[in-house]
Amino acid sequence: MAGLILWAVVSDIILIFLIYKMYRTKKDILDYTSSIEKWLDDTILGREIRLSDENQDTLPDKMSQKLLRINHIWDGKEKENQNQKSKLKEIISDISHQTKTPIANIKIYLEMLDDEMLSGREREFVENIKEQTVKLDFLLQSMIKMSRMETGIIQIHSEKTNLYETLGKSIAAIVPKAEKKGIRLYVECDEIIKIVHDKKWTEEAVFNILDNAVKYTAGGGKIQITVSVGEIFTKISIKDSGKGIDIGRQAEIFKRFYREPEVHDIEGIGIGLYLSRKIIEMQNGYIEVRSAIGKGSDFQIYLPN
């Protein structure tokens, strides 16, 4: 009988010990996960991770030390990136400044030559130089824009403003090229639509797509711009009656410097669509394209309301 009582007491003690052990283990796990969560929050917010005053050789202590080392490495990398961006900004600014003057001078000399008595052959040469100067200027400005986008120098300043006005400026800029090819432009956009966007850069993105549509649409074709407001996004559809894009290349066209093999006789350097996508993505939007060979293309821009 005494043995049974002793066994019962020992069993109770073991049970109590196990319950206590489970409680302590659970508490240690909760404390550990809470510490990790705090350290990760500090890392995300750029705060210094604070270590305990006691230098304990425990798992939480080792983990906090490693996270602190990672934090220091990231800080170093961030400073290095900022320095590189600053240097690149200076280089881009210098290139922009240094190229403006010679190009402007070439244009002035060409205007002076227009007033001279030139033979037919000489006049042809002058017109060719004018055309190449415009292309060179466009190339340099596109390269500078691309570099500024990629290095974060260009900042997006979005505000809730009229979309119709933004589209109007893009369309007005493309009208001369469209008229030259006899391409008809149609617009369907409510004049009171307002969405959060950067007017200047959205205008640039839309113009690039319109310019692309005019380039690859044959004379007498048409381009339809349609705006529709959804629950989350406003869609700007730019649909042309051009040559269309093979489905296998539709993911490639937004890459910088990409040009389809069969269009190298058409002016362009393959930056416009790349810039458009970057601009829209910087505004938390996206671009889709739907196209088929011989059936035109439909570029759909989605911007948050």
Side-chain angles (χ1 to χ4, degrees):
M1 187 69 178
L4 289 173
I5 293 172
L6 179 61
W7 173 249
V9 171
V10 171
S11 298
D12 288 343
I13 292 172
I14 292 172
L15 181 61
I16 291 170
F17 174 77
L18 290 174
I19 292 172
Y20 175 75
K21 189 69 175 176
M22 289 175 64
Y23 166 77
R24 287 298 307 173
T25 302
K26 183 178 180 181
K27 186 176 184 303
D28 288 344
I29 291 172
L30 289 173
D31 290 344
Y32 181 50
T33 54
S34 177
S35 296
I36 290 178
E37 185 178 8
K38 181 180 180 303
W39 295 331
L40 291 174
D41 286 341
D42 289 341
T43 300
I44 291 168
L45 296 173
R47 296 194 298 247
E48 184 77 14
I49 295 176
R50 295 183 180 180
L51 302 180
S52 60
D53 295 333
E54 300 178 4
N55 187 17
Q56 300 177 354
D57 191 24
T58 62
L59 181 60
D61 188 61
K62 290 179 180 178
M63 180 64 74
S64 63
Q65 289 178 8
K66 288 184 178 180
L67 283 172
L68 184 59
R69 287 175 61 190
I70 291 171
N71 219 357
H72 288 160
I73 291 170
W74 283 353
D75 285 343
K77 291 290 184 184
E78 180 63 25
K79 288 178 182 177
E80 185 181 341
N81 288 337
Q82 289 299 327
N83 288 335
Q84 289 178 350
K85 282 184 179 180
S86 179
K87 289 178 182 177
L88 189 55
K89 182 179 180 180
E90 291 177 7
I91 292 170
I92 293 169
S93 178
D94 191 47
I95 291 172
S96 178
H97 176 73
Q98 294 295 334
T99 56
K100 277 181 181 177
T101 302
I103 289 175
N105 287 340
I106 291 171
K107 290 179 178 178
I108 290 171
Y109 294 141
L110 288 170
E111 288 177 4
M112 292 171 64
L113 284 172
D114 277 339
D115 297 331
E116 297 293 324
M117 297 294 292
L118 302 175
S119 66
R121 189 70 171 159
E122 290 169 339
R123 180 68 59 188
E124 182 183 344
F125 289 155
V126 169
E127 292 302 320
N128 286 338
I129 294 171
K130 279 184 181 180
E131 184 180 338
Q132 295 305 314
T133 303
V134 170
K135 287 182 179 179
L136 177 61
D137 192 21
F138 174 77
L139 171 61
L140 287 169
Q141 293 307 315
S142 296
M143 295 286 285
I144 289 167
K145 284 178 188 176
M146 183 182 70
S147 298
R148 286 176 173 170
M149 282 280 179
E150 292 180 343
T151 55
I153 296 171
I154 288 177
Q155 298 293 321
I156 295 294
H157 302 286
S158 297
E159 59 179 341
K160 193 154 191 175
T161 187
N162 191 285
L163 180 62
Y164 183 83
E165 293 176 2
T166 304
L167 294 181
K169 291 181 179 179
S170 300
I171 294 165
I174 202 64
V175 164
K177 282 188 177 181
E179 287 184 343
K180 193 173 180 180
K181 292 182 70 174
I183 295 173
R184 294 158 292 163
L185 295 170
Y186 301 93
V187 184
E188 291 181 18
C189 177
D190 195 321
E191 295 184 20
I192 63 171
I193 294 176
K194 289 187 176 183
I195 64 170
V196 178
H197 69 292
D198 185 302
K199 289 176 69 70
K200 174 186 173 183
W201 289 108
T202 303
E203 177 189 335
E204 170 93 11
V206 173
F207 172 80
N208 288 343
I209 295 174
L210 286 171
D211 186 55
N212 201 66
V214 170
K215 282 180 186 176
Y216 302 118
T217 298
K222 66 176 183 178
I223 297 172
Q224 177 80 39
I225 302 105
T226 308
V227 177
S228 55
V229 181
E231 291 185 8
I232 301 174
F233 291 93
T234 291
K235 181 175 75 172
I236 305 167
S237 170
I238 300 172
K239 189 174 183 179
D240 63 60
S241 60
K243 71 177 193 62
I245 306 164
D246 184 85
I247 192 168
R249 298 174 181 168
Q250 290 176 17
E252 303 291 319
I253 60 174
F254 292 104
K255 292 182 179 179
R256 51 182 181 175
F257 304 122
Y258 176 81
R259 301 202 70 206
E260 294 186 90
E262 66 273 13
V263 299
H264 282 286
D265 57 330
I266 300 176
E267 67 175 33
I269 55 175
I271 290 181
L273 292 180
Y274 169 78
L275 286 174
S276 291
R277 187 185 67 173
K278 290 286 290 184
I279 291 167
I280 298 304
E281 287 179 350
M282 288 173 73
Q283 298 181 81
N284 299 317
Y286 61 97
I287 299 179
E288 291 182 344
V289 59
R290 297 178 182 177
S291 184
I293 294 296
K295 295 184 178 179
S297 302
D298 185 4
F299 284 83
Q300 300 176 353
I301 299 172
Y302 291 85
L303 285 169
N305 295 332

